[in-house]
Amino acid sequence: MIHFHQVSKRYDNGKEALLNINFELDQGELTFLTGHSGAGKSTLLKLIMLIERPSGGRMVVCNQDVAKVGRSAIPYYRRQIGMVFQNHQLLFDRSVYDNVALPLIIAGYRPRETGRRVRAALDKVGLLDKEALNPIALSGGEQQRVGIARAVVNKPQVLIADEPTGNLDPELSAEIMDLFDQFSQVGVTVLIATHDLGLIARYDHRLLSLDQGRLISDGFDRPDHLQPHLHERGF
Amino acid sequence: MAPKTPAQRTAPRGATAARTTFRQRFDSWREHHKEVALESLRRLLATPLPTAMTILVIAIALSLPAGLYVMLKNAESISEDWDGSAQISLFLNFNTQEQQGRKLAAELARRDDVKRTEYISREQALAEFEAQSGFGDLLEELGENPLPAVVVVYPAVTDLTAAESLRTDLDQLGEVDLAQLDAQWVQRLYAILDLGRRLVVALSMGLALAVLLVIINTIRLAIESRRDEIVIVKLVGGTDAFVRRPFMYTGLWFGLGGCLVALLLIQTVLWWLDEPVQTLSALYRSQFELSGLGLRVSFLMLLGSVVIGLVGARLAVSQHIRAIEPG
Ligand SMILES: Nc1ncnc2c1ncn2[C@@H]1O[C@H](COP(=O)(O)OP(=O)(O)OP(=O)(O)O)[C@@H](O)[C@H]1O
Ligand SMILES: [Mg+2]
């Protein structure tokens, strides 16, 4: 579903944020992307969203060669991908319902279909009773769930999240992770960028590790210092 | 974790898109436009003071050329009924006998395009001149009457071009030395009106440009204030057209609102002027009545104003929206 082949990204200022990245994510896979601050996690997600263009290599997302997606095709490309942000990027001039409905309105769904899907997405994240509120009246965890509902309301094939649990306590993080798990169960490819090592240790998902823009490990093993966490979980 | 098989996936988006008919898509498109239009209006009304100021600036800029146009139109209607005030003087040559001259006057009076004629003999002309100018003594010293006989023709036609062609016609007559159309004030008025018309055109163009700039600037500010929203919309797959749309409607509302207020302003001024004009017109025993812009011109003005609004919005948007990208 997501295929990186020798992908590099050099920013205009000469910074090599990613170097010869190779990996492949299958449909329905849930994967963590980790690395120190500045390792290139956000850059990698931006390449998938076509917020940035790779400066080298080949990327195939949802069976499309990303290099062939022209500027005018970007919006349609992005509709296949849901994105969750650390600062959730909600609009505070409208209700929770309207925030979640935005991708559907953009995609031209009819109001009835929009209503059905928005309620289904809000139900999924447990916020059905908050649809009429302004997101500013919600807690951090609730706001993050609104962001997730918006990311999945269009039933994307790929869901990517940049530090989705960044500001949340472990309990709320677990709730969020449960949601991602459920989406991957129904076939959505999920990629979560995080430097929350505790979170990574608590789950047995595949892990991509970046260091200085290079992919230094790819697999289900955890770094040594996280091993105690794994035993706790009886894994 | 093992990857899921495609069968486990929920229906992909494409399947839903295929099920919707053209009709349904059109309905949702129309519904969406209605929503966006109303939303743009709501946003404008949510900040009444800045909105009112922009609308007023547009209205004033539009009402200046439109007001001038109304003035011109009324002046034209005055000049249209100059009837009776114009006359053609035929100066007869000196070897035309009085009897001949009277006969000519009578003949001309029978023409369709002539209402009536009047014969002024050389003696009458001299007497009139002496009475009016007080130079009688001077003429007496000349010993001989230097004035020709005159046939004054009052045209039946009421427009200047017809009168002018009548004059050329009469100028060809053998007895006539010189035919002169005395409609100078009408001619002057025509020249002034022509100048006025050009002024309206120039003013319209200049102020239309001003309105365009006002709209571009206002919408540029609106875009800037909604930067975050534009970024999010682009991230969740909004096309340029989608991002543009609310601002296009903002431009449309400004054009529409500005023009309606301009029409209101003009109507108010006309109403305010009506009484003195009635009084003046009564003093001249004229049937003259102030007329407004008229339905056709009002409609054209509205259309033009809306077009300026849309063009301004489009220019502002294409300048700024591309620059706002997620990153
Ligand atoms: N737009 C940009 N222009 C130039 N350099 C950039 C740009 N964005 C990121 N970088 C640089 O690229 C490198 C990778 O940045 P990136 O944001 O991908 O890191 P990250 O792994 O997400 O870090 P963090 O955990 O702090 O979010 C950093 O050194 C950063 O300074
Ligand atoms: Mg980052």
Side-chain angles (χ1 to χ4, degrees):
Chain A
M1 194 49 66
I2 300 178
H3 187 172
F4 273 53
H5 182 73
Q6 294 287 92
V7 173
S8 297
K9 173 62 186 179
R10 178 209 292 267
Y11 280 108
D12 290 342
N13 62 2
K15 170 82 197 175
E16 297 274 7
L18 292 175
L19 276 166
N20 301 333
I21 305 289
N22 290 294
F23 67 87
E24 196 161 345
L25 301 184
D26 284 329
Q27 186 175 41
E29 236 185 323
L30 194 160
T31 309
F32 283 127
L33 175 65
T34 191
H36 60 89
S37 181
K41 304 181 293 292
S42 298
T43 301
L44 195 149
L45 298 191
K46 283 178 185 171
L47 290 183
I48 295 175
M49 278 310 269
L50 271 185
I51 295 169
E52 296 287 350
R53 293 274 188 180
S55 41
R58 208 169 109 86
M59 284 170 61
V60 179
V61 178
C62 301
N63 303 318
Q64 277 168 284
D65 183 348
V66 168
K68 291 194 180 119
V69 178
R71 188 184 182 279
S72 60
I74 288 178
Y76 304 97
Y77 168 85
R78 284 184 184 152
R79 289 176 197 178
Q80 306 168 291
I81 305 168
M83 179 148 186
V84 179
F85 310 88
Q86 177 176 3
N87 54 355
H88 36 74
Q89 302 264 33
L90 298 179
L91 293 167
F92 294 118
D93 64 348
R94 59 194 76 188
S95 66
V96 165
Y97 178 98
D98 289 334
N99 268 280
V100 176
L102 190 61
L104 299 179
I105 291 168
I106 286 171
Y109 282 89
R110 279 168 299 142
R112 205 181 326 131
E113 178 72 3
T114 302
R116 206 178 59 67
R117 286 191 179 216
V118 170
R119 299 221 162 77
L122 283 174
D123 192 25
K124 187 99 195 140
V125 300
L127 289 175
L128 199 49
D129 54 333
K130 303 262 163 75
E131 66 168 34
L133 295 181
N134 187 300
I136 211 149
L138 302 182
S139 72
E142 286 170 331
Q143 290 184 353
Q144 192 56 284
R145 269 142 63 196
V146 175
I148 293 172
R150 184 184 63 194
V152 300
V153 73
N154 206 5
K155 297 193 177 158
Q157 294 171 271
V158 172
L159 182 61
I160 59 183
D162 199 354
E163 308 285 359
T165 61
N167 301 324
L168 305 179
D169 61 37
E171 216 170 305
L172 287 173
S173 302
E175 275 180 35
I176 303 286
M177 279 309 300
D178 275 351
L179 284 172
F180 286 136
D181 220 6
Q182 287 170 36
F183 293 125
S184 82
Q185 299 290 333
V186 296
V188 180
T189 306
V190 185
L191 180 60
I192 303 165
T194 180
H195 51 220
D196 182 350
L197 297 178
L199 185 79
I200 294 166
R202 264 177 270 129
Y203 298 86
D204 58 346
H205 303 305
R206 179 175 166 194
L207 178 66
L208 301 175
S209 300
L210 288 173
D211 184 63
Q212 308 281 11
R214 289 170 206 275
L215 191 60
I216 52 164
S217 79
D218 177 359
F220 292 87
D221 297 335
R222 293 299 184 258
D224 289 341
H225 60 281
L226 290 175
Q227 291 304 324
H229 291 276
L230 299 177
H231 293 300
E232 259 169 49
R233 286 180 55 249
F235 187 65
Chain B
M1 179 169 296
K4 303 295 174 295
T5 63
Q8 282 171 280
R9 267 182 53 73
T10 45
R13 234 173 39 76
T16 319
R19 276 205 306 274
T20 54
T21 63
F22 174 75
R23 172 86 219 176
Q24 285 171 332
R25 257 180 297 157
F26 176 73
D27 282 350
S28 80
W29 176 85
R30 207 185 45 187
E31 188 65 27
H32 167 66
H33 269 262
K34 208 175 90 188
E35 291 264 310
V36 176
L38 290 177
E39 175 60 25
S40 294
L41 192 60
R42 266 195 296 273
R43 269 177 195 276
L44 289 177
L45 297 179
T47 52
L49 206 65
T51 301
M53 269 166 28
T54 306
I55 296 253
L56 216 58
V57 168
I58 296 170
I60 291 168
L62 290 175
S63 55
L64 285 176
L68 188 61
Y69 170 81
V70 172
M71 267 171 55
L72 272 182
K73 209 176 90 168
N74 282 298
E76 269 166 22
S77 83
I78 294 177
S79 75
E80 265 162 24
D81 49 49
W82 53 271
D83 177 30
S85 61
Q87 57 190 52
I88 301 169
S89 304
L90 305 178
F91 298 96
L92 305 184
N93 45 35
F94 287 97
N95 43 30
T96 309
Q97 298 305 305
E98 173 155 354
Q99 183 196 5
Q100 238 178 313
R102 286 188 188 282
K103 199 173 136 225
L104 176 68
E107 269 168 21
L108 290 178
R110 280 195 290 276
R111 285 178 62 130
D112 280 344
D113 49 1
V114 172
K115 197 155 61 183
R116 66 193 175 86
T117 58
E118 194 180 325
Y119 179 79
I120 300 169
S121 68
R122 297 183 65 192
E123 293 70 32
Q124 273 173 298
L126 183 64
E128 259 176 46
F129 181 78
E130 278 175 351
Q132 278 173 16
S133 67
F135 284 129
D137 296 345
L138 189 75
L139 288 179
E140 241 155 63
E141 255 164 54
L142 282 173
E144 200 185 336
N145 181 359
L147 299 178
V150 176
V151 175
V152 181
V153 175
Y154 297 91
V157 288
T158 53
D159 72 296
L160 207 58
T161 35
E164 178 57 31
S165 78
L166 175 63
R167 186 200 68 81
T168 341
D169 229 18
L170 300 180
D171 208 15
Q172 310 298 316
L173 296 171
E175 299 92 334
V176 177
D177 225 10
L178 175 71
Q180 200 171 43
L181 180 62
D182 292 332
Q184 264 184 341
W185 74 269
V186 181
Q187 274 165 321
R188 280 191 196 128
L189 185 62
Y190 269 48
I192 291 170
L193 289 180
D194 191 41
L195 192 72
R197 269 189 289 266
R198 280 160 200 251
L199 210 62
V200 167
V201 172
L203 209 60
S204 300
M205 292 201 303
L207 289 169
L209 190 67
V211 170
L212 189 73
L213 294 178
V214 166
I215 287 177
I216 289 178
N217 200 45
T218 309
I219 290 189
R220 187 181 60 79
L221 292 175
I223 291 171
E224 220 38 66
S225 75
R226 291 174 73 180
R227 174 176 272 275
D228 295 346
E229 182 185 348
I230 291 171
V231 168
I232 292 173
V233 165
K234 285 192 168 187
L235 275 176
V236 299
T239 55
D240 283 353
F242 186 91
V243 175
R244 203 185 294 134
R245 202 161 295 138
F247 301 106
M248 295 299 283
Y249 275 105
T250 306
L252 182 135
W253 292 128
F254 274 134
L256 203 67
C259 188
L260 288 177
V261 173
L263 292 175
L264 207 69
L265 282 177
I266 292 170
Q267 213 47 50
T268 310
V269 170
L270 282 175
W271 169 81
W272 184 63
L273 289 178
D274 194 53
E275 203 188 290
V277 167
Q278 288 299 329
T279 315
L280 205 63
S281 154
L283 288 175
Y284 278 95
R285 287 187 205 83
S286 154
Q287 299 292 306
F288 177 73
E289 273 197 41
L290 264 185
S291 62
L293 264 180
L295 216 59
R296 201 178 67 90
V297 175
S298 303
F299 178 74
L300 284 177
M301 188 168 139
L302 211 60
L303 198 72
S305 175
V306 165
V307 167
I308 292 175
L310 290 176
V311 169
R314 183 65 205 241
L315 289 175
V317 165
S318 57
Q319 246 178 12
H320 295 96
I321 281 185
R322 258 171 193 255
I324 301 176
E325 283 288 349

PDB file of all heavy atoms in Angstrom, chain A residues 11 13 15 17 36-43 52 163 195, ligand 1:
ATOM      1  N   TYR A  11      15.998  19.209   1.721  1.00  0.00           N
ATOM      2  CA  TYR A  11      15.260  20.470   1.741  1.00  0.00           C
ATOM      3  C   TYR A  11      16.040  21.539   0.984  1.00  0.00           C
ATOM      4  O   TYR A  11      17.232  21.395   0.724  1.00  0.00           O
ATOM      5  CB  TYR A  11      14.996  20.924   3.179  1.00  0.00           C
ATOM      6  CG  TYR A  11      13.829  20.200   3.818  1.00  0.00           C
ATOM      7  CD1 TYR A  11      14.031  19.256   4.819  1.00  0.00           C
ATOM      8  CD2 TYR A  11      12.530  20.449   3.410  1.00  0.00           C
ATOM      9  CE1 TYR A  11      12.960  18.589   5.408  1.00  0.00           C
ATOM     10  CE2 TYR A  11      11.458  19.791   3.980  1.00  0.00           C
ATOM     11  CZ  TYR A  11      11.673  18.861   4.984  1.00  0.00           C
ATOM     12  OH  TYR A  11      10.616  18.213   5.538  1.00  0.00           O
ATOM     13  N   ASN A  13      17.229  24.198   1.868  1.00  0.00           N
ATOM     14  CA  ASN A  13      18.406  24.743   2.543  1.00  0.00           C
ATOM     15  C   ASN A  13      19.580  23.762   2.546  1.00  0.00           C
ATOM     16  O   ASN A  13      20.587  23.989   3.213  1.00  0.00           O
ATOM     17  CB  ASN A  13      18.042  25.158   3.975  1.00  0.00           C
ATOM     18  CG  ASN A  13      17.581  23.971   4.813  1.00  0.00           C
ATOM     19  OD1 ASN A  13      17.576  22.836   4.342  1.00  0.00           O
ATOM     20  ND2 ASN A  13      17.206  24.233   6.046  1.00  0.00           N
ATOM     21  N   LYS A  15      19.530  20.681   3.704  1.00  0.00           N
ATOM     22  CA  LYS A  15      19.418  19.666   4.760  1.00  0.00           C
ATOM     23  C   LYS A  15      18.932  18.329   4.183  1.00  0.00           C
ATOM     24  O   LYS A  15      17.882  18.266   3.547  1.00  0.00           O
ATOM     25  CB  LYS A  15      18.437  20.177   5.816  1.00  0.00           C
ATOM     26  CG  LYS A  15      18.030  19.164   6.851  1.00  0.00           C
ATOM     27  CD  LYS A  15      19.060  19.052   7.949  1.00  0.00           C
ATOM     28  CE  LYS A  15      18.860  17.764   8.744  1.00  0.00           C
ATOM     29  NZ  LYS A  15      19.909  17.560   9.742  1.00  0.00           N
ATOM     30  N   ALA A  17      17.134  15.443   4.935  1.00  0.00           N
ATOM     31  CA  ALA A  17      16.254  14.963   6.007  1.00  0.00           C
ATOM     32  C   ALA A  17      16.027  13.461   5.917  1.00  0.00           C
ATOM     33  O   ALA A  17      15.820  12.795   6.926  1.00  0.00           O
ATOM     34  CB  ALA A  17      14.924  15.699   5.958  1.00  0.00           C
ATOM     35  N   HIS A  36      14.898   9.881  16.867  1.00  0.00           N
ATOM     36  CA  HIS A  36      15.123  11.073  17.685  1.00  0.00           C
ATOM     37  C   HIS A  36      14.504  12.297  17.016  1.00  0.00           C
ATOM     38  O   HIS A  36      14.113  12.248  15.839  1.00  0.00           O
ATOM     39  CB  HIS A  36      16.635  11.287  17.869  1.00  0.00           C
ATOM     40  CG  HIS A  36      17.348  11.481  16.559  1.00  0.00           C
ATOM     41  ND1 HIS A  36      17.510  12.708  15.974  1.00  0.00           N
ATOM     42  CD2 HIS A  36      17.896  10.569  15.707  1.00  0.00           C
ATOM     43  CE1 HIS A  36      18.139  12.566  14.822  1.00  0.00           C
ATOM     44  NE2 HIS A  36      18.382  11.279  14.637  1.00  0.00           N
ATOM     45  N   SER A  37      14.459  13.361  17.774  1.00  0.00           N
ATOM     46  CA  SER A  37      13.938  14.596  17.207  1.00  0.00           C
ATOM     47  C   SER A  37      14.826  15.048  16.049  1.00  0.00           C
ATOM     48  O   SER A  37      16.048  15.093  16.202  1.00  0.00           O
ATOM     49  CB  SER A  37      13.883  15.678  18.288  1.00  0.00           C
ATOM     50  OG  SER A  37      13.370  16.847  17.741  1.00  0.00           O
ATOM     51  N   GLY A  38      14.228  15.329  14.925  1.00  0.00           N
ATOM     52  CA  GLY A  38      14.999  15.731  13.758  1.00  0.00           C
ATOM     53  C   GLY A  38      15.444  14.558  12.909  1.00  0.00           C
ATOM     54  O   GLY A  38      16.173  14.734  11.923  1.00  0.00           O
ATOM     55  N   ALA A  39      15.007  13.347  13.262  1.00  0.00           N
ATOM     56  CA  ALA A  39      15.430  12.153  12.523  1.00  0.00           C
ATOM     57  C   ALA A  39      14.791  12.094  11.141  1.00  0.00           C
ATOM     58  O   ALA A  39      15.321  11.438  10.236  1.00  0.00           O
ATOM     59  CB  ALA A  39      15.078  10.894  13.312  1.00  0.00           C
ATOM     60  N   GLY A  40      13.650  12.751  10.983  1.00  0.00           N
ATOM     61  CA  GLY A  40      13.000  12.772   9.680  1.00  0.00           C
ATOM     62  C   GLY A  40      11.619  12.130   9.641  1.00  0.00           C
ATOM     63  O   GLY A  40      11.078  11.885   8.558  1.00  0.00           O
ATOM     64  N   LYS A  41      11.047  11.902  10.830  1.00  0.00           N
ATOM     65  CA  LYS A  41       9.723  11.244  10.884  1.00  0.00           C
ATOM     66  C   LYS A  41       8.655  12.080  10.174  1.00  0.00           C
ATOM     67  O   LYS A  41       7.936  11.589   9.296  1.00  0.00           O
ATOM     68  CB  LYS A  41       9.301  11.021  12.350  1.00  0.00           C
ATOM     69  CG  LYS A  41      10.301  10.237  13.178  1.00  0.00           C
ATOM     70  CD  LYS A  41       9.822  10.039  14.600  1.00  0.00           C
ATOM     71  CE  LYS A  41       9.739  11.316  15.413  1.00  0.00           C
ATOM     72  NZ  LYS A  41      11.060  11.914  15.703  1.00  0.00           N
ATOM     73  N   SER A  42       8.563  13.345  10.584  1.00  0.00           N
ATOM     74  CA  SER A  42       7.536  14.201   9.973  1.00  0.00           C
ATOM     75  C   SER A  42       7.784  14.363   8.476  1.00  0.00           C
ATOM     76  O   SER A  42       6.837  14.406   7.681  1.00  0.00           O
ATOM     77  CB  SER A  42       7.526  15.572  10.641  1.00  0.00           C
ATOM     78  OG  SER A  42       7.209  15.445  12.003  1.00  0.00           O
ATOM     79  N   THR A  43       9.039  14.440   8.119  1.00  0.00           N
ATOM     80  CA  THR A  43       9.370  14.581   6.700  1.00  0.00           C
ATOM     81  C   THR A  43       8.852  13.392   5.905  1.00  0.00           C
ATOM     82  O   THR A  43       8.273  13.561   4.820  1.00  0.00           O
ATOM     83  CB  THR A  43      10.893  14.709   6.528  1.00  0.00           C
ATOM     84  OG1 THR A  43      11.345  15.842   7.260  1.00  0.00           O
ATOM     85  CG2 THR A  43      11.266  14.862   5.063  1.00  0.00           C
ATOM     86  N   GLU A  52       5.422  17.582   0.848  1.00  0.00           N
ATOM     87  CA  GLU A  52       6.743  17.770   0.258  1.00  0.00           C
ATOM     88  C   GLU A  52       6.934  16.713  -0.835  1.00  0.00           C
ATOM     89  O   GLU A  52       6.325  15.650  -0.790  1.00  0.00           O
ATOM     90  CB  GLU A  52       7.847  17.587   1.318  1.00  0.00           C
ATOM     91  CG  GLU A  52       7.820  18.602   2.440  1.00  0.00           C
ATOM     92  CD  GLU A  52       8.298  19.977   2.015  1.00  0.00           C
ATOM     93  OE1 GLU A  52       8.829  20.103   0.893  1.00  0.00           O
ATOM     94  OE2 GLU A  52       8.138  20.929   2.813  1.00  0.00           O
ATOM     95  N   GLU A 163       2.795  11.998  15.769  1.00  0.00           N
ATOM     96  CA  GLU A 163       2.724  12.185  17.225  1.00  0.00           C
ATOM     97  C   GLU A 163       1.277  12.284  17.700  1.00  0.00           C
ATOM     98  O   GLU A 163       0.902  13.265  18.350  1.00  0.00           O
ATOM     99  CB  GLU A 163       3.462  13.473  17.639  1.00  0.00           C
ATOM    100  CG  GLU A 163       4.870  13.609  17.118  1.00  0.00           C
ATOM    101  CD  GLU A 163       5.870  12.717  17.843  1.00  0.00           C
ATOM    102  OE1 GLU A 163       5.486  11.989  18.781  1.00  0.00           O
ATOM    103  OE2 GLU A 163       7.060  12.727  17.448  1.00  0.00           O
ATOM    104  N   HIS A 195       7.813   9.445  19.111  1.00  0.00           N
ATOM    105  CA  HIS A 195       9.038   9.161  19.834  1.00  0.00           C
ATOM    106  C   HIS A 195       8.717   8.735  21.274  1.00  0.00           C
ATOM    107  O   HIS A 195       9.559   8.761  22.142  1.00  0.00           O
ATOM    108  CB  HIS A 195      10.032  10.326  19.778  1.00  0.00           C
ATOM    109  CG  HIS A 195       9.452  11.642  20.157  1.00  0.00           C
ATOM    110  ND1 HIS A 195       9.768  12.798  19.503  1.00  0.00           N
ATOM    111  CD2 HIS A 195       8.571  11.985  21.106  1.00  0.00           C
ATOM    112  CE1 HIS A 195       9.105  13.803  20.049  1.00  0.00           C
ATOM    113  NE2 HIS A 195       8.364  13.330  21.031  1.00  0.00           N
TER     114      HIS A 195
HETATM  115  N1  LIG C   1      10.817  22.815   5.611  1.00  0.00           N
HETATM  116  C1  LIG C   1      12.052  22.487   5.995  1.00  0.00           C
HETATM  117  N2  LIG C   1      13.106  23.118   5.472  1.00  0.00           N
HETATM  118  C2  LIG C   1      14.358  22.794   5.842  1.00  0.00           C
HETATM  119  N3  LIG C   1      14.664  21.839   6.718  1.00  0.00           N
HETATM  120  C3  LIG C   1      13.664  21.166   7.286  1.00  0.00           C
HETATM  121  C4  LIG C   1      12.309  21.462   6.953  1.00  0.00           C
HETATM  122  N4  LIG C   1      11.519  20.649   7.673  1.00  0.00           N
HETATM  123  C5  LIG C   1      12.333  19.881   8.404  1.00  0.00           C
HETATM  124  N5  LIG C   1      13.627  20.182   8.189  1.00  0.00           N
HETATM  125  C6  LIG C   1      14.798  19.533   8.794  1.00  0.00           C
HETATM  126  O1  LIG C   1      14.766  18.167   8.451  1.00  0.00           O
HETATM  127  C7  LIG C   1      15.120  17.367   9.549  1.00  0.00           C
HETATM  128  C8  LIG C   1      14.020  16.365   9.828  1.00  0.00           C
HETATM  129  O2  LIG C   1      12.906  17.061  10.320  1.00  0.00           O
HETATM  130  P1  LIG C   1      11.540  16.361  10.740  1.00  0.00           P
HETATM  131  O3  LIG C   1      10.571  17.392  11.092  1.00  0.00           O
HETATM  132  O4  LIG C   1      11.184  15.383   9.710  1.00  0.00           O
HETATM  133  O5  LIG C   1      12.017  15.596  12.065  1.00  0.00           O
HETATM  134  P2  LIG C   1      11.144  14.756  13.078  1.00  0.00           P
HETATM  135  O6  LIG C   1      11.743  13.383  13.098  1.00  0.00           O
HETATM  136  O7  LIG C   1       9.727  14.864  12.757  1.00  0.00           O
HETATM  137  O8  LIG C   1      11.463  15.501  14.438  1.00  0.00           O
HETATM  138  P3  LIG C   1      10.480  15.744  15.690  1.00  0.00           P
HETATM  139  O9  LIG C   1      10.475  14.488  16.468  1.00  0.00           O
HETATM  140  O10 LIG C   1      11.181  16.853  16.436  1.00  0.00           O
HETATM  141  O11 LIG C   1       9.175  16.140  15.156  1.00  0.00           O
HETATM  142  C9  LIG C   1      15.385  18.309  10.700  1.00  0.00           C
HETATM  143  O12 LIG C   1      16.792  18.492  10.809  1.00  0.00           O
HETATM  144  C10 LIG C   1      14.720  19.583  10.302  1.00  0.00           C
HETATM  145  O13 LIG C   1      15.427  20.679  10.801  1.00  0.00           O
END
